[in-house]
Amino acid sequence: MSGQNRGTTVQDFLKHFYAEESGQAVTLAERLIQAQSDLTLTCAELDFAAKVAWRNSTRCIGRLFWPALQVRDLRHVTQPDEVFQQLITHLQEAFCGGQIQSVISILSDEVRILNSQLIRYAGYEQPGGQVLGDPENLRLTRLAQRLGWEPSPPTAFDVLPLILQAGGTLHLYPLPPAAVQEVTITHPTSPQIAGLGLKWHALPAISDALLHVGETALPCVFNGWYMQTEIAARDLSDEGRYNVLPLVAQALALDTRYERTLWRDRALLELNVAVLHSFRETGIKIVDHHTAAAQFVRFQEREEQAGREVRGRWSWLISPMSPAASPVWGQRFKTQELSPHFSRPGLSGGCPGRV
Ligand code: ARG
């Protein structure tokens, strides 16, 4: 077992916790007896579980920073209004004036967040079947509208309200603009790219995940900082998302008549340059895919020193830009995730990429 627990009972977890974190006030034997009648984790155990779940996340290239995760224990907060206030605090602490800290809030399972991320842009179906905004969020947008949310007029970048479910009732909470930082996309040398009016939000904050510890699953919200390919090579470029590459190519006056001009690749590259440039100019933390891959290699080295095996999903760990230039390209991983771990409802299947 090389010190790393693969079991899924709370007893397995507690043994794992005691093996890695010495100096607990109560002995393991005593703690195991307690756990027979009460599965509630202590704050220290929860803190450890959340960090190790990140360390175990096979889809994440940013795992080097797992020990620095800030864990907020909100298991006692059960009123939707209070949960919403706590989520605003999460956004503020995470943004941290642009330095972006990795934060996780562990919630009570009496309140569910229906948004997949705290900050998401609405998508509206247009009469011709076209979509204004983010096609990924069509369903949530429709639900928000049914609950009375009305953007006026709809734009391509309307931040969706949070929808919380408590005791069978849905509650709608528009996010105050001060809680949502956004970055206008500009380019170091091509003003035409700024002319496209693109932007993206500063924080990726996953809000539909469960943290699995032993036999318990706790709803949680966690954030990191962006790697620019997530925005430039997927969110803005995927044909099923904002699909802006043809517009970028036009702005750059590329010859789009033939694939052989590689206009797609050139537009993609310049959009990646633009996103990195814009975040930097705005003073908001972001990482490029080469630096992130080098950090992942450092994570692998550290894990090896600690006698732990790194598992991973190759298609998630390589970058969608220049994948063969990544040190991950030639590697193979075991894919089965160790415990504790996170799960997300929409992600059981393939769907490569950092979604
Ligand atoms: N790929 C997702 C997005 O583009 C965010 C996923 C989490 N990413 C992260 N860097 N922690 O919004």
Side-chain angles (χ1 to χ4, degrees):
M1 294 262 287
S2 63
Q4 198 155 353
N5 198 305
R6 284 163 208 181
T8 50
T9 66
V10 73
Q11 282 77 16
D12 292 328
F13 168 71
L14 290 171
K15 288 178 200 157
H16 179 189
F17 173 64
Y18 274 77
E20 280 196 46
E21 302 281 298
S22 53
Q24 301 305 321
V26 176
T27 66
L28 173 61
E30 287 164 338
R31 184 66 186 94
L32 286 172
I33 292 170
Q34 251 177 26
Q36 286 172 357
S37 50
D38 184 359
L39 286 181
T40 315
L41 300 181
T42 65
C43 290
E45 289 160 2
L46 189 70
D47 189 277
F48 176 76
K51 287 175 177 156
V52 175
W54 183 8
R55 188 175 85 195
N56 286 339
S57 296
T58 50
R59 297 179 176 93
C60 180
I61 193 152
R63 287 182 264 169
L64 177 64
F65 303 100
W66 69 269
L69 180 65
Q70 289 177 31
V71 184
R72 304 174 73 227
D73 180 5
L74 304 175
R75 289 174 295 176
H76 55 283
V77 182
T78 53
Q79 295 308 310
D81 289 3
E82 269 179 76
V83 171
F84 172 68
Q85 282 313 322
Q86 288 292 350
L87 294 175
I88 300 294
T89 309
H90 180 131
L91 286 174
Q92 283 160 350
E93 286 179 7
F95 183 68
C96 191
Q99 289 172 43
I100 306 194
Q101 315 284 338
S102 298
V103 179
I104 184 166
S105 295
I106 318 277
L107 307 171
S108 123
D109 57 12
E110 288 179 40
V111 179
R112 282 296 162 105
I113 305 172
L114 301 192
N115 309 56
S116 58
Q117 290 189 29
L118 294 185
I119 305 169
R120 295 269 78 183
Y121 293 123
Y124 312 95
E125 191 130 34
Q126 305 286 84
Q130 298 257 36
V131 173
L132 173 68
D134 194 342
E136 194 162 85
N137 304 316
L138 281 169
R139 264 182 45 206
L140 196 74
T141 307
R142 271 198 295 268
L143 180 61
Q145 287 175 317
R146 242 186 285 140
L147 293 171
W149 180 67
E150 255 180 276
S152 58
T155 75
F157 297 101
D158 295 334
V159 174
L160 282 162
L162 292 181
I163 304 178
L164 306 188
Q165 183 172 21
T169 312
L170 297 179
H171 304 256
L172 188 89
Y173 295 97
L175 285 166
V180 181
Q181 273 72 32
E182 296 179 287
V183 177
T184 302
I185 308 301
T186 57
H187 186 278
T189 53
S190 293
Q192 302 91 318
I193 289 193
L196 295 174
L198 302 175
K199 60 174 170 173
W200 204 253
H201 49 91
L203 268 188
I206 305 295
S207 50
D208 59 358
L210 292 172
L211 167 62
H212 298 266
V213 195
E215 35 286 271
T216 323
L218 300 158
C220 60
V221 172
F222 58 81
N223 75 277
W225 49 88
Y226 267 117
M227 179 163 84
Q228 102 286 348
T229 49
E230 301 184 82
I231 303 169
R234 304 298 310 275
D235 301 331
L236 292 175
S237 291
D238 275 5
E239 288 189 355
R241 301 288 299 285
Y242 279 80
N243 190 22
V244 302
L245 289 187
L247 298 176
V248 173
Q250 210 175 22
L252 295 170
L254 300 177
D255 182 353
T256 58
R257 285 173 305 166
Y258 312 104
E259 291 294 350
R260 66 170 182 270
T261 64
L262 299 189
W263 64 268
R264 289 181 203 278
D265 308 70
R266 296 177 69 176
L268 185 64
L269 175 62
E270 294 310 331
L271 190 57
N272 275 265
V273 168
V275 168
L276 284 169
H277 168 81
S278 314
F279 271 68
R280 212 187 151 77
E281 285 282 289
T282 321
I284 296 176
K285 180 150 144 189
I286 191 159
V287 67
D288 65 83
H289 52 295
H290 301 292
T291 304
Q295 289 167 344
F296 183 72
V297 170
R298 266 170 60 208
F299 167 68
Q300 289 184 297
E301 287 163 2
R302 284 197 196 165
E303 289 302 289
E304 196 180 333
Q305 277 160 18
R308 293 187 293 254
E309 178 192 29
V310 173
R311 300 192 166 197
R313 292 190 191 217
W314 187 86
S315 64
W316 283 73
L317 295 174
I318 52 157
S319 145
M321 277 285 288
S322 319
S326 160
V328 176
W329 178 260
Q331 299 197 42
R332 290 291 174 272
F333 303 90
K334 281 192 198 157
T335 56
Q336 180 68 42
E337 225 160 57
L338 300 169
S339 211
H341 69 279
F342 295 114
S343 70
R344 291 183 64 196
L347 285 190
S348 40
C351 190
R354 289 157 64 90
V355 176

